[in-house]
Amino acid sequence: MQSPAETPLRLLGPDGRRIPNDDFDPWVSDITAERLAELYEDMVVVRRIDSEGIALQRQGQVGLWPPLRGQEAAQIGSARALRSDDFVFTSYRENAVAYCRGVGVEEMMPMWRGTAASGWDPYEFGMAPPAVIIGAQTLHATGYAMGCAKDGADSVAVAYFGDGATSQGDVSEAMVFAAAFRAPVIFLCQNNHWAISEPVSLVARRPLADRAPGFGIPSIRVDGNDVLAMMAATRWALDRARRGDGPSYIEAVTYRMGPHTTSDDPSRYADPAEHDEWLQLDPIARVERNLELNGLHSVHEVASRTADAVAADLRRACLELPDPRPLELFDHVFTEPTSRVLRQRSQYAAYLDMLGEER
Amino acid sequence: MAQKTLGAAIGLGLDGALAADDRVLLMGEDIGRLGGVFRVTDGLQKKWGADRVIDTPLAEAGILGTAVGLAYRGYRPVVEIQFDGFIYPAFDQIVAQVAKLHYRTRGAVRMPITIRVPFGGGIGAVEHHSESPEAYFAHTAGLRVVACSHPQDAYWMIRQAIACDDPVLFFEPKRRYWVTGEVDASLDAAPPLEAARVVVEGTDATIVTYGPLVATALDAALAAADEGISLEVIDLRSLSPVDFDTVEASVRKTGRLVITHEAQQFGGLGAELATSITERCFTHLLAAPARVTGHDIPYPPSRLEEHFLPDLDRVLDAVDRVLGRANSLTGWTL
């Protein structure tokens, strides 16, 4: 393996040309031009989901949206490497991962529209609800992975987190536990260079991938805008985990091309020149160039049609989400309602009745 | 039935839970080879293996956070927080993750995690080793909070806490770990986990307490009886939810309420009990409820803790106050 401090692993250049790599080419030898076109379509679709989410927020239909533009390859390349019996624990910016796990557009929106605290059944998709407290989910993934090992299963847990999360104690503790118990977990750090307005340079004097070896965890730095390299690195880490070799750490070096969330204003802190540099490294454009070099010319039109259809579904699903009934407030606080919850529920029901309101 | 210390009764309960369900795991610092700093888990790693009685790294957030992941995977982790004051590094995982995941996922995810916490003072310890943080957790929806006070309950309650599909904060009164009592190792006669228990019946005033101060309240009842005062003592057992029905029934009978706990007074369990019982039986109360608690200060150095911890005389003084007796020394209303 390369040393983390070296140039990030890249298999597909910004000009669309394949870059041979003896160590990692075998991990993506099955990715034909047709398979790459599928990954391309995934990225086009999630970029379209993302822009629709922003539009819905601007139109007042959802309260908040965390854009992922620029991080499509980091998420699609890694998530498409997983099996359905693997389990992912993410932060809130991983709508592309959710898309890959099969989460439907109607389940993606309730959290952002505010009709539910989370949208999908974690066990149906092998994906926990997004963690908003930064880094908390890395411990959950590690614990889940400890359970996989205990069960003798070769399932793997993946923790997605950002560069900002690497400051949190939970992330360090997760690596301590993962190393101590040889847990089959992948730490997938998307270094998008920003923790809201704070640059990664504030918290990291060295590449983030350098931290893991200190915990006894092998790590790799990857061009996070290269979908092929992301898939190869994730497959390498998955293989290690399934073999019983324990945790791995992947630093996906990428760039958040938009705000932290729709509440944010990057013009106050981000350098436009830096933004333009990263624009040249766009994860979707380089795959399109590669596919064109391979004679697949109409990929953009085909993918765009799919993306438009998914976006229309997303918009419709979002607008059709019913408001929850008021008394759903009291559901699922405990597995069986306590007398306290039942008492407050019945008191509030009587209050609504008094006002003649639906409950 | 065997005579056991409270600590050994919890250990017996853990042993029984490990035997009853192979998804039960114990996790914590020093719980394996050492058997825990209070020896509650003594011998369990030897019997059940290091895979089920797990010595963890020294990282409280790590212990709770990985327990969340294990619960996702179908395990029932029982974690030990070595001392009350060490629970704060794990606070986020407990109140923001463990407590909420069932609600957030509309019931899809269960967090049957038991969090054992030796709590309270009275053992002459250094700082961070004598705290009573129960109100923080009772304040958080989605957590059950219980405190045991004697060996039989300790055994029953730890078994019930581990079997419960909700997360349970299980507070163990560390200065009572060595109190002995009869322990019936069956679960047949166990009252529900959320039920309070009337320990001693009486007619003149009700003392509500839990954990380490149940013994103090019983001492007070004995002492008061010498003066012809009949005190009813209620061991709350469950701090969230509280069995208000049992307390209400008692206060309707006695007309007077004294609440005592070691934790600081402001925003403590006593405030909730006094308010809720006043709401429920205002017209039956013959005096305002009185609270006997720790002062609103950080837990003091051990040479001062006797002045912090509610004791027999402070409880009796409060009884005098609610009875309107002239020999109340203080007339405190705090």
Side-chain angles (χ1 to χ4, degrees):
Chain A
M1 294 307 108
Q2 68 185 60
S3 158
E6 289 176 25
T7 309
L9 172 69
R10 180 178 279 175
L11 300 181
L12 203 57
D15 58 1
R17 295 189 188 280
R18 268 291 265 117
I19 301 165
N21 184 301
D22 289 344
D23 289 328
F24 284 92
D25 283 345
W27 291 112
V28 285
S29 59
D30 60 321
I31 304 300
T32 57
E34 287 70 26
R35 280 286 290 117
L36 190 60
E38 289 170 20
L39 295 173
Y40 171 81
E41 180 174 293
D42 284 342
M43 293 196 289
V44 171
V45 168
V46 298
R47 181 167 289 186
R48 187 74 182 79
I49 287 174
D50 199 52
S51 57
E52 198 66 25
I54 294 169
L56 284 163
Q57 193 280 334
R58 295 298 185 229
Q59 293 157 7
Q61 297 296 341
V62 301
L64 189 74
W65 185 263
L68 62 76
R69 189 182 182 93
Q71 298 177 225
E72 293 89 351
Q75 295 190 21
I76 296 290
S78 56
R80 282 293 185 216
L82 305 177
R83 288 194 325 221
S84 61
D85 63 326
D86 297 327
F87 208 103
V88 303
F89 293 83
T90 71
S91 179
Y92 40 78
R93 201 183 301 286
E94 281 76 21
N95 283 310
V97 176
Y99 174 75
C100 292
R101 299 305 283 167
V103 172
V105 286
E106 65 285 347
E107 293 143 324
M108 218 173 261
M109 300 311 287
M111 178 169 162
W112 305 111
R113 190 160 166 86
T115 58
S118 71
W120 59 84
D121 180 340
Y123 293 113
E124 186 180 349
F125 301 107
M127 179 167 180
V132 173
I133 300 285
I134 301 299
Q137 75 278 11
T138 58
L139 281 165
H140 306 167
T142 302
Y144 190 92
M146 288 161 63
C148 293
K150 283 182 180 300
D151 293 340
D154 68 350
S155 302
V156 176
V158 185
Y160 284 85
F161 56 102
D163 48 295
T166 61
S167 307
Q168 290 277 0
D170 280 11
V171 177
S172 291
E173 293 188 25
M175 287 196 278
V176 170
F177 274 69
F181 297 108
R182 228 177 157 74
V185 58
I186 299 173
F187 295 104
L188 209 150
C189 174
Q190 294 173 82
N191 174 4
N192 73 10
H193 283 72
W194 295 105
I196 306 189
S197 70
E198 297 182 345
V200 66
S201 57
L202 178 71
V203 296
R205 293 284 174 270
R206 297 183 52 77
L208 294 170
D210 271 11
R211 296 191 184 183
F215 291 92
I217 298 173
S219 73
I220 182 169
R221 251 189 145 204
V222 182
D223 178 345
N225 286 13
D226 176 350
V227 73
L228 213 51
M230 282 303 301
M231 177 169 277
T234 309
R235 285 175 166 181
W236 161 77
L238 284 166
D239 182 64
R240 291 193 70 250
R242 296 201 209 286
R243 285 168 184 270
D245 291 342
S248 310
Y249 188 108
I250 297 170
E251 179 190 355
V253 184
T254 180
Y255 197 81
R256 198 188 74 208
M257 298 300 285
H260 165 67
T261 70
T262 43
S263 298
D264 178 30
D265 177 10
S267 72
R268 284 171 173 257
Y269 56 81
D271 176 0
E274 188 179 79
H275 182 278
D276 289 347
E277 281 173 34
W278 280 92
L279 206 55
Q280 307 307 312
L281 303 173
D282 186 80
I284 295 179
R286 74 174 71 178
V287 180
E288 195 172 321
R289 289 180 194 122
N290 176 275
L291 293 170
E292 283 171 357
L293 290 172
N294 282 291
L296 294 169
H297 290 291
S298 57
V299 286
H300 183 69
E301 289 68 30
V302 174
S304 289
R305 276 198 296 278
T306 309
D308 286 344
V310 173
D313 284 348
L314 179 84
R315 170 169 290 271
R316 188 174 56 249
C318 179
L319 299 183
E320 285 176 356
L321 282 171
D323 277 352
R325 301 180 72 81
L327 291 187
E328 286 181 31
L329 278 174
F330 300 95
D331 292 346
H332 307 301
V333 183
F334 296 96
T335 53
E336 297 291 333
T338 61
S339 57
R340 182 87 169 171
V341 172
L342 288 176
R343 185 183 175 91
Q344 291 188 350
R345 185 184 192 280
S346 66
Q347 285 172 346
Y348 193 63
Y351 177 74
L352 291 173
D353 290 348
M354 183 183 76
L355 296 177
E357 289 188 11
E358 277 194 39
R359 60 192 175 112
Chain B
M1 286 196 289
Q3 283 278 333
K4 291 215 169 278
T5 64
L6 185 145
I10 295 168
L12 184 69
L14 294 171
D15 185 46
L18 285 160
D21 184 349
D22 61 12
R23 307 299 282 182
V24 171
L25 302 171
L26 310 191
M27 303 167 66
E29 298 157 14
D30 309 306
I31 67 166
R33 288 203 295 180
L34 181 64
V37 291
F38 291 104
R39 308 293 184 268
V40 170
T41 53
D42 191 25
L44 294 179
Q45 189 183 65
K46 197 167 184 182
K47 181 171 178 183
W48 296 102
D51 201 39
R52 294 193 67 198
V53 179
I54 303 166
D55 272 325
T56 66
L58 199 166
E60 283 77 14
I63 295 169
L64 262 300
T66 53
V68 168
L70 283 157
Y72 261 109
R73 185 73 194 176
Y75 285 90
R76 308 182 80 86
V78 182
V79 310
E80 179 180 296
I81 297 294
Q82 199 160 67
F83 280 94
D84 34 49
F86 305 169
I87 200 167
Y88 306 117
F91 194 73
D92 167 63
Q93 287 289 344
I94 297 171
V95 304
Q97 309 294 333
V98 173
K100 286 185 175 173
L101 277 162
H102 186 261
Y103 189 74
R104 281 193 72 202
T105 61
R106 285 171 288 181
V109 173
R110 295 194 167 190
M111 286 286 129
I113 300 173
T114 303
I115 305 165
R116 294 183 39 240
V117 191
F119 85 124
I123 62 166
V126 297
E127 69 170 344
H128 310 306
H129 290 67
S130 300
E131 305 196 3
S132 300
E134 60 270 22
Y136 296 117
F137 302 102
H139 188 64
T140 300
L143 299 175
R144 289 178 181 270
V145 184
V146 303
C148 59
S149 68
H150 64 95
Q152 180 64 72
D153 260 7
Y155 173 81
W156 280 334
M157 289 170 71
I158 192 69
R159 292 294 304 270
Q160 291 170 318
I162 295 168
C164 179
D165 276 345
D166 297 320
V168 181
L169 270 293
F170 191 89
F171 283 98
E172 302 168 5
K174 67 172 85 80
R175 65 169 147 146
R176 310 289 185 199
Y177 268 140
W178 302 275
V179 168
T180 57
E182 295 269 310
V183 175
D184 173 359
S186 80
L187 294 167
D188 300 338
L193 187 60
E194 59 270 25
R197 195 168 63 95
V198 178
V199 189
V200 170
E201 293 194 24
T203 53
D204 294 329
T206 301
I207 302 183
V208 177
T209 188
Y210 54 87
L213 291 185
V214 172
T216 307
L218 290 173
D219 289 346
L222 271 179
D226 287 345
E227 297 185 48
I229 300 167
S230 167
L231 297 181
E232 183 145 303
V233 176
I234 295 178
D235 178 357
L236 218 47
R237 299 174 78 252
S238 177
L239 315 185
S240 180
V242 167
D243 177 4
F244 285 110
D245 292 346
T246 295
V247 182
E248 178 183 345
S250 174
V251 173
R252 280 173 182 261
K253 179 176 69 175
T254 64
R256 295 176 171 90
L257 174 62
V258 173
I259 306 146
T260 184
H261 55 62
E262 289 188 13
Q264 287 85 344
Q265 185 170 92
F266 188 88
L269 264 289
E272 181 58 50
L273 282 156
T275 308
S276 287
I277 292 303
T278 302
E279 285 173 349
R280 285 174 177 234
C281 36
F282 182 69
T283 56
H284 293 77
L285 281 167
L286 302 167
R291 288 175 287 169
V292 185
T293 68
H295 309 301
D296 290 330
I297 60 169
Y299 197 89
S302 59
R303 292 295 179 115
L304 284 170
E305 67 181 343
E306 65 176 298
H307 299 290
F308 178 86
L309 296 169
D311 62 7
L312 176 63
D313 290 333
R314 277 173 64 195
V315 173
L316 288 173
D317 180 67
V319 169
D320 283 341
R321 261 184 289 144
V322 297
L323 286 166
R325 278 161 54 101
N327 62 337
S328 170
L329 297 174
T330 64
W332 281 346
T333 52
L334 287 182

